[in-house]
Amino acid sequence: MKQRLVHIFLTVLVFVYILFEELVWETIAKPVFDYLHRLRLLQKLEHIINRFPAWIVLLLFLTLFIAVEGIGLLAGVLALQGNIIVASLLYISKIPFAAFAFWLFRISKQKLLGIGWFRYTYDFMMRQIDKIKASEIYRNIKVQTTRIKRKIKEFKAKYLPKGELKRRAKRIYVQLKKIFRKDIS
């Protein structure tokens, strides 16, 4: 019984990790990160940040990291309370901040890893992620999510030809806009 509960818990944990990695990171956060990285303003900011002492960069990074995680926790609490829309909007609002924190970490990684306790924490987290990725549960769920993604793509290709989803969304938007304009008049 105990092993079964542990297995269920690990399965849920790994599923959430994969969901975050595949859905949130790959489809939302990474494009935001890539966009931010291309901005000239951030390139100038990178040069300025590189001149900061490690402890200032650490303070800035930790402030962003704690704020992002706090928003995520608050979104989770709101979701558990049944406020799904507010929770979703709050969670989505944290993505640009998370992308900025990731960017800050990436450009300051060597400086941050020069701080002993930070390096230890980082190495510990990377070992935990490696353990998760090496687990059978992770591999099984990854296979399932890959199948689901493939089926969604097949469905989309079959029933929503290229650009059709965008055209439908635009048509709905225009219709809703007309309805709301009538209500205002």
Side-chain angles (χ1 to χ4, degrees):
M1 179 70 173
K2 183 180 174 185
Q3 282 185 336
R4 184 92 167 120
L5 288 174
V6 168
H7 181 75
I8 290 170
F9 174 74
L10 287 175
T11 301
V12 169
L13 184 68
V14 169
F15 180 74
V16 168
Y17 175 80
I18 290 174
L19 183 67
F20 174 78
E21 181 181 56
E22 293 288 327
L23 182 65
V24 176
W25 176 250
E26 291 296 326
T27 60
I28 301 170
K30 189 164 184 335
V32 170
F33 170 76
D34 291 341
Y35 173 76
L36 289 176
H37 186 65
R38 288 190 300 269
L39 294 177
R40 284 192 175 171
L41 175 66
L42 286 185
Q43 292 170 0
K44 291 177 184 176
L45 187 58
E46 182 175 345
H47 293 296
I48 293 169
I49 290 172
N50 283 333
R51 288 185 265 160
F52 287 168
W55 66 272
I56 291 179
V57 176
L58 177 65
L59 184 63
L60 181 59
F61 174 74
L62 287 178
T63 301
L64 280 169
F65 181 78
I66 290 168
V68 165
E69 291 307 312
I71 292 169
L73 286 172
L74 181 58
V77 168
L78 290 171
L80 291 173
Q81 292 175 346
N83 298 317
I84 303 300
I85 293 173
V86 174
S88 299
L89 291 173
L90 187 60
Y91 192 84
I92 289 169
S93 74
K94 85 174 203 166
I95 291 172
F97 298 106
F100 186 77
F102 180 74
W103 171 82
L104 180 62
F105 177 76
R106 191 190 59 73
I107 67 162
S108 307
K109 185 175 179 179
Q110 292 310 313
K111 193 177 281 194
L112 290 171
L113 293 179
I115 300 170
W117 68 266
F118 190 87
R119 176 180 282 285
Y120 174 80
T121 305
Y122 175 80
D123 290 342
F124 175 79
M125 292 301 295
M126 291 298 101
R127 284 193 306 272
Q128 299 314 306
I129 290 172
D130 289 343
K131 283 181 186 177
I132 289 171
K133 287 184 173 183
S135 73
E136 184 178 338
I137 293 170
Y138 178 88
R139 289 191 304 271
N140 290 340
I141 292 174
K142 190 77 170 172
V143 166
Q144 294 300 325
T145 56
T146 302
R147 279 191 204 139
I148 291 169
K149 281 173 52 177
R150 188 181 69 245
K151 289 197 183 283
I152 289 170
K153 284 181 182 178
E154 289 170 1
F155 176 84
K156 189 176 160 186
K158 185 175 181 180
Y159 295 106
L160 298 171
K162 189 170 182 136
E164 180 63 24
L165 184 62
K166 188 175 182 178
R167 279 191 292 279
R168 285 184 185 180
K170 187 175 181 179
R171 188 172 49 234
I172 291 169
Y173 171 77
V174 169
Q175 289 171 347
L176 287 173
K177 199 171 176 181
K178 286 178 184 177
I179 290 169
F180 285 109
R181 278 194 188 147
K182 287 179 186 176
D183 288 344
I184 293 173
S185 308

